[in-house]
Amino acid sequence: MTKNLRVKTGKVIDETYRISFKFNGKTYHGFQGDTLASALLANDVHLVARSFKYHRPRGIMTAGSEEPNAIVQLHKNSSRTEPNVRATEVEIYEGLEASSQNCWPNVNFDIGGINNFLSPLLPAGFYYKTFMWPASFWEKYEYFIRKSAGLGKSPTKPDPDIYEHKYIHCDVLVIGSGIAGIMAAKTAAKSGLQTLMVDEKSNLGGSTIYQNSENFKINNQNSGSWLEKEINEIKKLENLEIKTRTSVAAYHGYNFLLARENITDHLPIEQRKNKTRHKLLKIRAKKVICATGSIERPLVFDNNDRPGILLSSAIKRYADLFGVACGEKNILLTNNDSAYETAISLFQKGIKIEAIIDNREEVDSKLVYEVEKNNIKIYKGFTVVNTSGYKKINKVSIMRLSKDGQKVVGSKINLSCDCLGISGGWTPAVHLFTQSGGKLKFREEDQVFIPNTYPSDQISVGSCSGDLSLKDILINVPKTLKEFLNIKKTEYENIEVLSSENGSKRNIWLIPSDKVLGKTKSFVDYQNDATAKDIKLALREGFRSIEHVKRYTTTGMGTDQGKLGNMHALGIISETAGTKMGEHGTTTFRPPYTPLTFGTIVGRNVGEYFDIFRKTPIHEWHVKNNAEFENVGQWKRAWYYLRNNEDMYQAVQRESKAARDSAGILDASTLGKIDIQGTDASEFLNRVYTNAWSKLAIGKCRYGLMLNEDGMVYDDGVTTRLGENHYIMTTTTGGAANVLSKLEDYLQTEWPELDVYLTSVTDHFATISVCGPNSKKIVSTVIDDLDFSDENFPHMSFKNAKIGKINCRVMRISFTGELSYEINVQANYAKSVWEKCMEAGKDFNITPYGTETMHLLRAEKGFIIVGQDTDGTMTPVDLQMDWIVSKKKYDFIGKRSLYRSDTIREDRKQLVGLLTDNPEDVLEEGSQIVADVKKFPVEMLGHVTSSYFSPNLKKSIALAVVRGGKNMMGKKLMIPMENKSINVTISDPVFLDKENKKLNA
Amino acid sequence: MFLIDCPFCGEREQSEFKAGGEAHIIRPKQPTELSDDEWAEYLFMRKNIKGIQFERWNHIHGCRKWFNVVRDTSNDKIKAVYKIDEKPPTN
């Protein structure tokens, strides 16, 4: 295990800077520039993970974000630990700790590995088939399934890191910094456009940057050196911004993209302090150039998942970029020319290649000739049928392919090796293009999907557009750019390119075996352990749609979203079903392209910044006086105030009693307030409320009920006429914004002829409500220049007044049923006025009360709360509030709906009061009401909407909606609870002071 | 998230706006004279087509104005934007 497979200085490796890190508890060394994957491979560590379902040993397979196997857990610390990180993307730093996932007790000996031997019992759709019967057993199964499900462990403590969101606007966004991306970025920036180029890797140049051979030349230079010069040039361009380690997660409509910029993950922990870890970039680009490259395809054959089997391009990348040999006895299996590029790169570095197995019979290619010249054995027309080696590959078995590629023939040859590179050709990375709404077309010659129609101002260039050779890229990119950017010339006219590969390919989706399919394990989706056999089973069981096959077999549903295997799944489905490839389309590519951390998504919106909250100007007083708060919309409202050792129930009982016995005080500042002015203000109110407003005298208040056009109660509140053409409307706390929006809607779109102006003044005024038999004494002390006599200031009226120099509006209105005054003052004076009231009320035991007591008091009086006693299905008639619906008015919002056949039904749910036979039994809000519990199915008649123990009436009271309740006065019903049934009697919803004596006292 | 060209404020992010459903549905002037079916037609029936749709939007976090938008629902492309009292574009 301590072998050193470092062969030559890699392009991005700094060998003077040694780094130590831990993997599965053991210390290893790598160099600055290594990824976790390259450093492990350099130490000859291939086995890094266990697969999800069968717990098969798995190794590093790729060198990029498409990695399906090598997903690891980072950090030990319970706040920073991070699951499901691709080892191929983690840059190592001093002190890095990583470990394998999905194995116990460890990756070398994993108990779950038994699933591999049970695999004949675990076919596709296993869970759906097995755990369905008997249905009552699900709870038992679930416990075990949950235990064995999931990858990795989530942190248990809050995330200590900082995340940010940033908006970016640019003329051109270039995604990907391979050769096509570099050419695009340079061309765009040089033509004066503000350009941003992003790449998910830490270095620029894609795969061309390490292409260093005589076979690939641009203007007589090695393609890699040519590109390096280009990169050095673009770094000097002022209007080009380059962001590395930045992965585009989502590409939405209107060229709106989300990208994650990784700022500190490659730094040692101690250097990350006070730095932002990830930034979520919200990019709005006028034009987008996708240069996202392509991903090499694996090949599907029996046991194609052993550690030591890598993509051929990954082997080349590890050798060229990191100076790491993935094995000492390499074999390559290919159906195209790119494996020969890998071979040339390897023997240049002295890494041994045992053989190349090429599915093709004869190929006229310079690359093949060069490999042959170096005495490497090429098995033409052969394929791999099986591999062996449990924890690492040690042998491949090869056989000759039949002419039609459907069978293998002849005798089996065994070749020993310690690494197998596979190349099934290339798949253009069209994920972002399709996310944006782009449509693909299928290219028959080499079996790839390429962009066809673009939904926004964007273009794909390079291999993601289907240009898979260097020559095609250098010819097509400048042409495409000229048209897309509307420019006459690029710097890349008449460029000379030498590109030696032969584009031929022998595509076989499922490589034949000498065994029957049922005995093979040919993996299509490595991460989810979906095999070719599973896909064929799904088809046999009747699944036809690719979306269904995907979900049934879980192909492409891992964290890698099937970047490697989806094409094979499609191919196998087409072959089996006998349809053409393009016909099925592809499964939907959904954002994010690579997983995002939750931290990135929420940015700074954590803790107290999670959501906006609104405080009244009296908030600090409530805090000081031991208030518990309740969220109402975005408001923090005082819920109840705890004294001594009270609990919530005791506090609410005390507050409720005090408000009726002497005096209570409530902060009602959160009520919505809309200032209404204009010569048609009265007419406007006539149209939006159910009752009549024209005759309301100046200085008077009136309660109004607002309906939706469907006749259902929408909002309520008291509106006061301040002047001939001036009203102030109050709305419910939660409904304020929606009411304003609705009123504006009617005003602007239906009745533009009305001269009415609406202004929200909710935040401008604070409202202090003083209620109780002694409220008049208290308020008249605070406001000493006002005549509080009933003659001058009766119930439902309003006065302007002064408290010292502070102007205030005083309304004598009541939501509790007690004598009550609401003082409205400019918000910044509210706290001092509140304190004056408290001072004046001292002798009367003035008691601050919160929303819970307010709810209790109004329930005693039978006043509704819109949203608690109503739910969008209650008309005023259902609420027994017929009195507020004007019969005389020609029209108002919702009027016509009040006599639709449905709204006039007698058996609608109607609001009633409920009294329990035992006055101590307090009902639970939301409980169901029934007449007969013995008759099945039990008929549900309605439910409890509000319920309290009334300290003033010394009994339990409740409001409820009951089918046909209006005509059931005095009827006995039942509330079935878990252990008992509570007997109740339907009553009038007004429990206290039916004659309104208190209000007019 | 698309961009909407508010006729009063100019191009803004979709998040500043609130969608208001199908446009050009006029509230009947004399609802009392309508049958239940005719009223239900106004109250409930809305088109939901794939393709060109006329709809109302409100710049709720901006000028608070309601206006009309012509949008292709198949790709979210906005073809035209016009004020509430203007006639819909004919082409």
Side-chain angles (χ1 to χ4, degrees):
Chain A
M1 286 292 271
T2 47
K3 246 187 240 171
N4 182 2
L5 292 177
R6 199 71 72 165
V7 284
K8 211 172 177 182
T9 311
K11 207 169 167 53
V12 296
I13 295 296
D14 178 0
E15 291 205 22
T16 61
Y17 197 143
R18 217 167 89 116
I19 289 172
S20 65
F21 65 97
K22 273 188 182 168
F23 182 68
N24 285 337
K26 199 174 160 197
T27 302
Y28 296 95
H29 296 283
F31 297 115
Q32 180 75 26
D34 262 326
T35 62
L36 178 59
S38 70
L40 286 171
L41 289 170
N43 287 285
D44 198 25
V45 178
H46 276 268
L47 171 59
V48 293
R50 290 280 177 156
S51 70
F52 185 54
K53 189 168 156 191
Y54 303 131
H55 291 251
R56 282 169 69 99
R58 290 284 165 82
I60 295 155
M61 175 132 196
T62 72
S65 60
E66 66 273 27
E67 176 62 40
N69 287 342
I71 52 176
V72 298
Q73 181 102 23
L74 290 190
H75 311 293
K76 287 231 154 134
N77 167 322
S78 51
S79 58
R80 276 218 170 85
T81 190
E82 189 179 354
N84 304 339
V85 185
R86 289 159 300 283
T88 51
E89 291 195 300
V90 177
E91 294 171 59
I92 60 163
Y93 51 83
E94 191 61 42
L96 169 73
E97 281 187 87
S99 54
S100 300
Q101 299 182 164
N102 203 33
C103 53
W104 185 83
N106 62 54
V107 74
N108 276 300
F109 177 73
D110 175 18
I111 294 274
I114 193 156
N115 285 4
N116 189 33
F117 302 103
L118 297 177
S119 66
L121 307 174
L122 302 170
F126 165 69
Y127 294 106
Y128 309 119
K129 289 168 180 164
T130 312
F131 298 114
M132 296 306 293
W133 299 279
S136 59
F137 269 43
W138 171 248
E139 279 177 29
K140 295 195 173 60
Y141 293 139
E142 193 187 15
Y143 173 77
F144 291 100
I145 291 173
R146 290 248 178 266
K147 279 199 94 156
S148 56
L151 295 164
K153 290 190 185 77
S154 43
T156 52
K157 288 198 179 138
D159 191 333
D161 288 314
I162 306 167
Y163 302 84
E164 260 169 29
H165 289 180
K166 186 184 177 185
Y167 285 90
I168 296 182
H169 298 264
C170 58
D171 293 327
V172 177
L173 169 70
V174 180
I175 310 167
S177 74
I179 184 164
I182 299 283
M183 288 167 75
K186 188 176 176 190
T187 308
K190 281 216 157 179
S191 58
L193 298 164
Q194 200 60 47
T195 306
L196 170 68
M197 178 168 70
V198 299
D199 195 287
E200 61 181 2
K201 295 212 157 64
S202 58
N203 59 305
L204 302 177
S207 59
T208 313
I209 196 70
Y210 52 87
Q211 195 170 45
N212 180 27
S213 100
E214 294 299 311
N215 296 308
F216 299 93
K217 294 201 155 197
I218 302 170
N219 285 344
N220 278 321
Q221 303 164 49
N222 281 351
S223 52
S225 332
W226 180 86
L227 186 58
E228 191 147 348
K229 277 189 205 142
E230 289 289 301
I231 290 172
N232 289 335
E233 261 187 63
I234 63 163
K235 282 184 177 161
K236 294 176 203 143
L237 294 174
E238 268 188 12
N239 51 345
L240 172 64
E241 190 182 355
I242 301 170
K243 285 186 180 289
T244 53
R245 300 186 177 100
T246 301
S247 156
V248 174
Y251 187 167
H252 297 295
Y254 286 68
N255 281 349
F256 180 68
L257 299 95
L258 298 174
R260 195 257 323 244
E261 185 181 10
N262 191 338
I263 300 168
T264 61
D265 277 356
H266 60 292
L267 300 175
I269 303 281
E270 63 277 8
Q271 287 177 35
R272 300 184 188 181
K273 254 199 181 152
N274 302 325
K275 283 185 190 145
T276 299
R277 182 184 173 206
H278 295 158
K279 258 187 203 163
L280 184 73
L281 308 178
K282 302 180 175 183
I283 306 168
R284 184 74 79 169
K286 292 200 179 105
K287 287 169 174 285
V288 174
I289 300 174
C290 284
T292 46
S294 50
I295 297 170
E296 194 168 30
R297 285 182 196 168
L299 290 163
V300 180
F301 52 90
D302 194 13
N303 290 313
N304 60 343
D305 67 325
R306 299 197 188 281
I309 301 181
L310 288 87
L311 294 179
S312 148
S313 60
I315 294 177
K316 177 166 158 47
R317 189 176 175 90
Y318 285 119
D320 289 339
L321 218 45
F322 303 99
V324 171
C326 293
E328 291 168 306
K329 280 157 67 184
N330 297 282
I331 291 181
L332 298 170
L333 167 66
T334 187
N335 65 11
N336 69 96
D337 259 14
S338 33
Y340 293 87
E341 272 191 68
T342 303
I344 293 164
S345 219
L346 294 187
F347 67 66
Q348 275 177 355
K349 294 179 181 58
I351 304 170
K352 198 174 168 205
I353 300 152
E354 293 285 314
I356 295 181
I357 297 132
D358 196 331
N359 287 173
R360 300 172 299 179
E361 292 284 348
E362 272 316 317
V363 202
D364 178 28
S365 158
K366 269 166 91 180
L367 297 180
V368 178
Y369 299 143
E370 185 176 341
V371 170
E372 276 176 333
K373 236 180 10 208
N374 283 277
N375 293 324
I376 292 168
K377 173 79 180 156
I378 304 176
Y379 291 91
K380 289 179 188 165
F382 274 79
T383 193
V384 172
V385 291
N386 201 354
T387 65
S388 36
Y390 184 57
K391 287 177 194 167
K392 189 168 173 198
I393 188 167
N394 57 25
K395 191 178 78 184
V396 299
S397 306
I398 67 169
M399 284 175 86
R400 181 170 281 283
L401 278 162
S402 66
K403 278 261 172 317
D404 60 0
Q406 300 285 311
K407 288 197 297 273
V408 279
V409 294
S411 52
K412 212 185 272 183
I413 305 169
N414 292 328
L415 304 170
S416 73
C417 66
D418 63 356
C419 178
L420 173 68
I422 51 178
S423 174
W426 295 83
T427 300
V430 292
H431 309 73
L432 294 174
F433 163 78
T434 51
Q435 273 184 26
S436 77
K439 296 277 176 283
L440 299 165
K441 69 176 172 209
F442 189 67
R443 191 165 73 190
E444 282 290 339
E445 311 93 89
D446 56 350
Q447 307 272 300
V448 293
F449 282 103
I450 54 173
N452 188 24
T453 54
Y454 295 94
S456 60
D457 201 355
Q458 58 162 302
I459 198 80
S460 292
V461 296
S463 62
C464 71
S465 73
D467 288 340
L468 294 172
S469 77
L470 187 64
K471 193 165 198 167
D472 288 345
I473 290 171
L474 278 138
I475 293 170
N476 290 334
V477 172
K479 256 197 255 171
T480 311
L481 288 176
K482 275 194 283 189
E483 200 182 313
F484 181 62
L485 299 173
N486 199 15
I487 49 174
K488 291 210 166 63
K489 248 184 100 177
T490 70
E491 294 190 1
Y492 309 108
E493 313 290 328
N494 306 320
I495 210 155
E496 269 180 53
V497 200
L498 171 73
S499 184
S500 302
E501 81 274 34
N502 174 321
S504 76
K505 178 169 151 186
R506 187 180 187 189
N507 196 77
I508 303 171
W509 293 117
L510 171 57
I511 289 183
S513 167
D514 54 330
K515 286 192 256 175
V516 294
L517 183 70
K519 300 261 186 233
T520 65
K521 280 216 178 69
S522 311
F523 288 91
V524 174
D525 182 314
Y526 296 84
Q527 195 176 94
N528 276 347
D529 275 347
T531 63
K533 187 171 61 185
D534 294 328
I535 292 171
K536 293 210 173 192
L537 176 68
L539 289 164
R540 234 183 10 253
E541 293 186 353
F543 292 93
R544 284 291 172 272
S545 152
I546 170 71
E547 295 286 0
H548 289 155
V549 174
K550 166 181 167 176
R551 281 158 184 79
Y552 192 58
T553 61
T554 69
T555 303
M557 288 171 68
T559 58
D560 61 335
Q561 303 231 315
K563 290 187 181 78
L564 295 182
N566 272 0
M567 285 300 292
H568 302 81
L570 282 170
I572 293 167
I573 291 168
S574 288
E575 276 177 5
T576 312
T579 51
K580 275 187 121 184
M581 254 308 253
E583 279 173 24
H584 292 278
T586 60
T587 53
T588 315
F589 297 103
R590 291 196 177 82
Y593 178 64
T594 46
L596 293 172
T597 54
F598 282 114
T600 312
I601 295 166
V602 298
R604 295 264 178 162
N605 302 323
V606 289
E608 60 178 313
Y609 304 112
F610 177 69
D611 194 15
I612 297 165
F613 62 88
R614 302 169 79 181
K615 296 189 288 189
T616 78
I618 310 164
H619 186 85
E620 297 313 317
W621 191 94
H622 305 318
V623 173
K624 224 185 261 173
N625 287 272
N626 235 356
E628 290 290 318
F629 290 90
E630 176 183 33
N631 295 328
V632 184
Q634 286 172 323
W635 288 102
K636 294 273 172 206
R637 292 200 74 177
W639 193 7
Y640 53 89
Y641 301 80
L642 288 176
R643 276 193 198 161
N644 304 323
N645 295 320
E646 279 175 340
D647 59 16
M648 175 178 171
Y649 176 79
Q650 290 163 330
V652 171
Q653 294 287 308
R654 170 181 54 73
E655 290 172 12
S656 302
K657 192 125 188 19
R660 292 226 190 272
D661 288 350
S662 178
I665 182 167
L666 171 83
D667 180 359
S669 306
T670 63
L671 286 182
K673 303 171 205 77
I674 301 171
D675 188 272
I676 303 174
Q677 300 193 38
T679 51
D680 293 315
S682 304
E683 172 59 19
F684 180 67
L685 290 174
N686 269 334
R687 296 185 191 187
V688 300
Y689 278 131
T690 61
N691 46 352
W693 291 79
S694 309
K695 286 182 188 150
L696 184 70
I698 295 169
K700 295 285 178 195
C701 315
R702 183 165 289 172
Y703 173 76
L705 207 54
M706 201 182 287
L707 309 185
N708 262 330
E709 207 65 273
D710 62 5
M712 305 303 156
V713 172
Y714 182 69
D715 203 80
D716 69 344
V718 170
T719 295
T720 303
R721 189 166 197 172
L722 300 175
E724 178 61 28
N725 299 320
H726 191 188
Y727 290 83
I728 185 144
M729 172 190 279
T730 58
T731 73
T732 57
T733 297
N738 288 334
V739 169
L740 179 66
S741 169
K742 179 185 156 101
L743 298 183
E744 280 286 1
D745 186 355
Y746 277 93
L747 210 45
Q748 289 178 33
T749 66
E750 298 294 350
W751 310 317
E753 71 281 3
L754 294 186
D755 176 40
V756 177
Y757 300 89
L758 307 173
T759 310
S760 166
V761 291
T762 304
D763 294 276
H764 309 64
F765 287 98
T767 306
I768 296 160
S769 172
V770 182
C771 82
N774 287 316
S775 59
K776 187 185 283 185
K777 289 177 201 150
I778 296 166
V779 177
S780 59
T781 315
V782 176
I783 306 168
D784 50 15
D785 68 341
L786 191 62
D787 173 4
F788 276 87
S789 67
D790 286 344
E791 299 72 47
N792 182 52
F793 199 177
H795 181 53
M796 295 307 269
S797 64
F798 146 82
K799 296 286 170 200
N800 273 313
K802 269 184 189 292
I803 302 171
K805 285 181 182 171
I806 306 168
N807 288 317
C808 58
R809 291 171 173 171
V810 190
M811 281 98 171
R812 182 173 163 183
I813 51 180
S814 174
F815 189 43
T816 56
E818 288 299 318
L819 172 67
S820 175
Y821 296 90
E822 286 191 1
I823 309 169
N824 287 276
V825 290
Q826 197 178 304
N828 50 334
Y829 296 124
K831 197 158 156 255
S832 79
V833 173
W834 175 279
E835 279 163 349
K836 278 190 168 72
C837 291
M838 288 301 296
E839 182 59 34
K842 236 185 196 166
D843 297 340
F844 303 102
N845 182 32
I846 190 168
T847 302
Y849 66 91
T851 50
E852 192 62 24
T853 292
M854 173 181 88
H855 288 177
L856 191 158
L857 295 173
R858 64 86 209 180
E860 290 177 334
K861 182 68 184 161
F863 288 151
I864 58 154
I865 290 183
V866 173
Q868 174 158 345
D869 303 297
T870 73
D871 60 2
T873 66
M874 302 295 286
T875 69
V877 184
D878 297 338
L879 293 170
Q880 306 216 43
M881 289 171 79
D882 316 48
W883 54 270
I884 203 171
V885 181
S886 163
K887 304 271 180 308
K888 288 184 197 146
K889 280 200 294 182
Y890 182 69
D891 193 14
F892 56 82
I893 297 172
K895 174 168 174 142
R896 176 61 186 82
S897 292
L898 293 180
Y899 52 94
R900 291 178 57 238
S901 57
D902 183 56
T903 43
I904 55 172
R905 274 190 298 118
E906 288 285 314
D907 64 343
R908 288 179 64 81
K909 283 187 183 169
Q910 289 144 354
L911 187 83
V912 293
L914 287 184
L915 290 171
T916 50
D917 287 2
N918 174 1
E920 301 291 323
D921 271 342
V922 180
L923 302 172
E924 268 184 42
E925 287 172 2
S927 13
Q928 293 293 323
I929 302 165
V930 304
D932 187 352
V933 282
K934 299 221 170 74
K935 204 179 126 216
F936 291 99
V938 176
E939 197 183 3
M940 310 285 191
L941 298 178
H943 65 274
V944 177
T945 59
S946 298
S947 171
Y948 307 90
F949 185 82
S950 160
N952 298 302
L953 299 164
K954 296 192 177 58
K955 64 182 179 189
S956 157
I957 56 164
L959 297 174
V961 291
V962 175
R963 205 184 302 153
K966 218 188 260 189
N967 297 322
M968 289 166 75
M969 199 61 58
K971 193 166 161 69
K972 300 247 176 216
L973 294 171
M974 268 178 281
I975 315 265
M977 298 303 291
E978 204 175 345
N979 301 319
K980 60 173 177 179
S981 201
I982 301 172
N983 295 320
V984 294
T985 309
I986 292 200
S987 74
D988 190 290
V990 183
F991 300 101
L992 182 133
D993 188 25
K994 289 191 173 99
E995 307 77 28
N996 291 338
K997 278 188 196 141
K998 287 164 170 273
L999 290 175
N1000 298 313
Chain B
M1 191 160 55
F2 37 100
L3 292 171
I4 300 174
D5 193 10
C6 170
F8 304 93
C9 308
E11 204 167 62
R12 296 287 193 278
E13 297 270 344
Q14 185 190 346
S15 57
E16 291 185 17
F17 298 85
K18 174 177 146 179
E22 193 181 336
H24 304 301
I25 290 179
I26 299 160
R27 188 173 189 272
K29 286 269 178 285
Q30 293 162 320
T32 43
E33 284 163 31
L34 300 182
S35 69
D36 268 12
D37 284 350
E38 287 165 330
W39 180 248
E41 185 66 31
Y42 158 72
L43 194 57
F44 301 121
M45 304 317 264
R46 296 293 182 271
K47 288 191 199 106
N48 182 17
I49 37 180
K50 184 176 179 181
I52 302 291
Q53 186 155 294
F54 294 78
E55 50 194 31
R56 297 161 3 110
W57 284 79
N58 183 7
H59 196 183
I60 194 159
H61 298 299
C63 62
R64 270 173 41 192
K65 285 283 190 186
W66 283 89
F67 57 94
N68 294 322
V69 167
V70 185
R71 183 171 64 104
D72 186 335
T73 57
S74 68
N75 58 16
D76 282 342
K77 288 244 166 72
I78 291 176
K79 306 285 183 186
V81 170
Y82 54 102
K83 291 180 187 167
I84 213 80
D85 54 351
E86 288 173 343
K87 287 223 157 66
T90 46
N91 45 343

